[in-house]
Amino acid sequence: MELTTQTFRVTRADLVRYAGASGDFNPIHWNDRFATKVGLPGVIAHGMFTMALVGRAVTAWAGGPDAVVDYNVRFTRPVVVPDDDQGTEIVVTAVVREVTEEGLTRLDITATCQGEKVLSQARAIVRMAG
C-alpha cells in the first residue's frame, strides 16, 4: 500500500530560520561562494532539516508524533536550495512494507529533490492511527 505523497517547499529563508533554531550557521547553508568553493553545487539544506521534513510526513501518515516508534535515514545527496523566491521541493512518498503481529507498520520512505533521491534506507516503524 502506498501512502499519500507529501511535498515540502524549502527556501533560503527556511534555511536561515533552521540555522537560528539549530545553531548550525555553517556557510554551506547560506553562502553560494563558500559552498561552491568546497565543492558543492550551491547552498544546501541542513541534513537534519531534510530529515525533519521527512519526519513530518511520517507523523502525518501515522496520526501524530507519538505514533512513531523508530525512524532512520541515510543521507545520499544534498538538497540544493537556489537563491530565489521559489526555492526547491522535497517530495516524500512511502509504501507499507509490513504490518507486524504487534500492530506496528513498517514504512519504506523515498525522498526526492529535482527527481534525485536525497535519502537512502529511509524507514520508519509506526503505530498507524485507526
Side-chain angles (χ1 to χ4, degrees), residues 47 50-51 54 73-80 89-92 110-120 122:
T50 301
M51 187 177 178
V54 175
V73 306
R74 290 199 184 199
F75 301 103
T76 306
R77 183 178 305 267
V79 173
V80 179
E89 289 183 338
I90 298 172
V91 178
V92 186
T110 302
T112 60
C113 181
Q114 303 297 317
E116 300 281 340
K117 284 178 103 174
V118 296
L119 300 177
S120 66

Side-chain angles (χ1 to χ4, degrees), residues 45-130:
H46 304 73
M48 295 305 290
F49 181 57
T50 301
M51 187 177 178
L53 291 174
V54 175
R56 187 183 298 171
V58 171
T59 62
W61 289 321
D66 59 333
V68 179
V69 175
D70 190 45
Y71 171 51
N72 292 291
V73 306
R74 290 199 184 199
F75 301 103
T76 306
R77 183 178 305 267
V79 173
V80 179
V81 182
D83 188 12
D84 60 21
D85 294 334
Q86 302 306 309
T88 194
E89 289 183 338
I90 298 172
V91 178
V92 186
T93 60
V95 295
V96 173
R97 184 58 48 213
E98 144 185 50
V99 177
T100 68
E101 290 180 16
E102 297 82 23
L104 298 176
T105 301
R106 297 180 194 274
L107 303 176
D108 285 348
I109 305 160
T110 302
T112 60
C113 181
Q114 303 297 317
E116 300 281 340
K117 284 178 103 174
V118 296
L119 300 177
S120 66
Q121 299 179 21
R123 297 184 178 101
I125 299 173
V126 299
R127 287 184 188 86
M128 298 293 273

Side-chain angles (χ1 to χ4, degrees), residues 19-69:
S22 68
D24 181 353
F25 294 100
N26 187 322
I28 65 173
H29 303 303
W30 57 270
N31 184 309
D32 281 301
R33 191 177 64 247
F34 186 86
T36 55
K37 185 177 176 182
V38 299
L40 294 167
V43 165
I44 63 170
H46 304 73
M48 295 305 290
F49 181 57
T50 301
M51 187 177 178
L53 291 174
V54 175
R56 187 183 298 171
V58 171
T59 62
W61 289 321
D66 59 333
V68 179
V69 175

